[in-house]
């Protein structure tokens, strides 16, 4: 029970910043879909997809390596790893700057090299600040971590509101013609959706203020022998993370390429990409739980062996992780009928809403995979993670290439789900061989099956003449009741965890 309280407390602390930050960022979906049409946001969907992949190359597994080795000599490995990240980030960013124009031309966006230059700086800042943030997590300085993340996100949201809801309408004359001329010229229409990148860059730069103590404590340090040991541990994690990120992003990269012309009546492939990419963001609810849990659990379960981070407790934590994600999956999926209008302001985006329950379930399985992946990081078999994620990537690629021409963006969603299930099963099998844990897999299967029934029941009950809020949530309420009965027992007139 103490392990649940400990990790739940830390997860909620990290989750507060993650959920508040992502919720504020999620409001930007409202802003972006109000300010721009799907085709205009296509460049952002595509570039942020590539950026997510490049971010892994910039850090190349060193964040996980820091957690693994810092317990032996914290300052030594902090200095060494941060030195390596600063050096390589500088080299990568310089290369992107030099070749920004031809790269953007090859991507089909001539004259947009400035956007890639901004993204290169964002990538460098993300990578360089990742190790100080890891240091805060290891030292459990949660308050400072949370503050820095939240303020950065507030800056990003504020600048998006300024650029797109104030300066853009002023420039277009939507607020009248009485505004000073300099305000009208602060918005440049040619930049358009590029202001989203600029706001991100300025917000990221603010992180240096909050991490100034961590950077003051930094001293340039280099040791080839030590770095080689770190690299041997970290590079499989980099390839694993790359494969995982390709798995997450390739659907958006392939959709525009393989979608036949006229597949969706009256919609271009750019429209389809914009619709799918913004509906995909509704799966952020599941990503929040996964990210918050990883922030708390990774330093804990990769630390030194103790009674608390035993295999039994890992299985217990994983069981409750599934339950929390199940509640999120069913709860969001059952209420999409009003969520879509709240966050996707133009009805054109609602056409892709059917992908959301599938993507949420895929993220649930991906979260289960992450909870189980502790075994190959603890046993130094990080190459196994690469094998598993590359297999998942192959499933995604094959599914997208074969079925996008037939099923459109629904093929993207189901390919991702299939890939996540395959990865979870492979990780479970490998874990039981090399570092077995008593996972409650049968209970997880029952819960997920009930979740499918709860969501599909909404479509059947919607035919009845009862309010949507009731018909769509009857299954959700039944799930909550089942969890309460199954997982809690009554003691002295009060419910308590059964912990079976």
């Amino acid at each position: 029970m103490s392990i649940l309280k400990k990790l739940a407390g830390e997860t909620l602390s990290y989750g507060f910043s993650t959920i508040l930050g992502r919720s504020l960022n999620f409001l930007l979906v409202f802003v972006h879909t109000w300010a721009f049409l799907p085709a205009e946001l296509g460049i952002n969907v595509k570039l942020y997809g590539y950026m997510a992949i490049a971010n892994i190359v910039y850090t190349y597994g060193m964040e996980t390596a820091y957690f693994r080795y810092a317990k032996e000599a914290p300052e030594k490995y902090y200095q060494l790893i941060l030195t390596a990240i600063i050096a390589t980030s500088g080299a990568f960013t310089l290369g992107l700057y030099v070749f920004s124009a031809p790269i953007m031309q090859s991507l089909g966006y001539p004259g947009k090299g400035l956007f890639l230059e901004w993204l290169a700086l964002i990538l460098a800042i993300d990578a360089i600040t990742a190790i100080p943030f890891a240091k805060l997590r290891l030292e459990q300085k949660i308050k400072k971590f949370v503050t820095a993340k939240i303020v950065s996100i507030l800056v990003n949201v504020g600048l998006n509101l300024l650029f797109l809801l104030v300066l853009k309408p002023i420039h277009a004359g939507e607020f009248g013609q009485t505004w000073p001329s300099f305000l009208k010229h602060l918005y440049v229409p040619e930049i358009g959706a590029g202001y989203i990148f600029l706001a991100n860059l300025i917000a990221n730069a603010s992180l240096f203020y909050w991490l100034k103590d961590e950077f003051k404590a930094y001293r340039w340090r280099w040791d080839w022998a030590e770095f080689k040991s770190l690299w041997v541990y970290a590079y499989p994690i980099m390839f694993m993370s790359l494969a995982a990120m390709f798995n997450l992003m390739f659907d958006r990269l392939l959709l525009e390429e393989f979608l036949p012309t006229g597949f969706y009546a009256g919609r271009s492939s750019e429209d389809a990409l914009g619709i799918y990419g913004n509906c995909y963001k509704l799966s952020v609810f599941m990503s929040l739980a996964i990210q918050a849990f990883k922030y708390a659990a990774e330093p804990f379960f990769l630390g030194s062996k103790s009674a608390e981070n035993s295999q039994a407790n890992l299985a217990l934590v994983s069981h409750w992780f599934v339950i929390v994600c199940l509640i999120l999956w069913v709860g969001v999926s059952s209420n999409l009928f009003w969520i879509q209008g709240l966050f996707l302001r133009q009805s054109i985006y609602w056409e892709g809403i059917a992908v959301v329950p599938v993507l949420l379930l895929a993220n649930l399985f991906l979260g289960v995979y992450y909870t189980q992946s502790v075994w190959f990081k603890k046993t130094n078999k990080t190459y196994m993670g690469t094998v598993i994620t590359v297999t998942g990537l192959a499933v995604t690629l094959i599914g997208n290439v074969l079925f996008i021409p037939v099923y459109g963006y629904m093929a993207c969603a189901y390919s991702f789900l299939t890939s996540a299930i395959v990865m979870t099963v492979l990780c479970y099998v490998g874990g039981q061989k090399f570092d077995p844990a008593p996972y409650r897999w049968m209970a997880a299967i029952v819960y997920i099956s009930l979740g499918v029934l709860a969501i599909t029941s909404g479509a059947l009950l919607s035919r009845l003449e009862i309010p949507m809020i009731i018909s769509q949530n009857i299954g959700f309420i039944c799930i909550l009741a089942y969890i309460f009965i199954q997982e809690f027992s009554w003691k002295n007139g009060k419910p308590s965890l059964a912990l079976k």
Side-chain angles (χ1 to χ4, degrees), residues 147-176:
T147 301
K149 291 288 187 178
I150 288 178
V151 172
S152 173
I153 291 166
L154 287 173
V155 171
N156 186 33
V157 172
L159 289 173
N160 270 273
L161 296 176
L162 174 64
F163 291 146
L164 304 181
L165 296 189
V166 178
L167 297 181
K168 185 174 185 286
I170 287 175
H171 179 86
E174 295 177 17
F175 294 160

Side-chain angles (χ1 to χ4, degrees), residues 65-79:
Y66 173 73
F67 289 127
R68 177 68 179 80
Y69 287 93
K71 61 188 177 185
E72 301 170 6
E75 289 306 312
K76 169 186 172 182
Y77 285 104
Y78 175 72
Q79 313 287 1

Side-chain angles (χ1 to χ4, degrees), residues 464-490:
L464 302 178
E465 295 183 1
I466 56 177
M468 288 281 285
I469 193 69
I470 297 175
S471 66
Q472 298 302 299
N473 282 282
I474 289 176
F476 182 44
I477 294 169
C478 291
I479 284 281
L480 293 177
Y482 179 80
I483 291 171
F484 189 79
I485 294 170
Q486 188 71 14
E487 303 296 337
F488 291 84
S489 61
W490 287 87

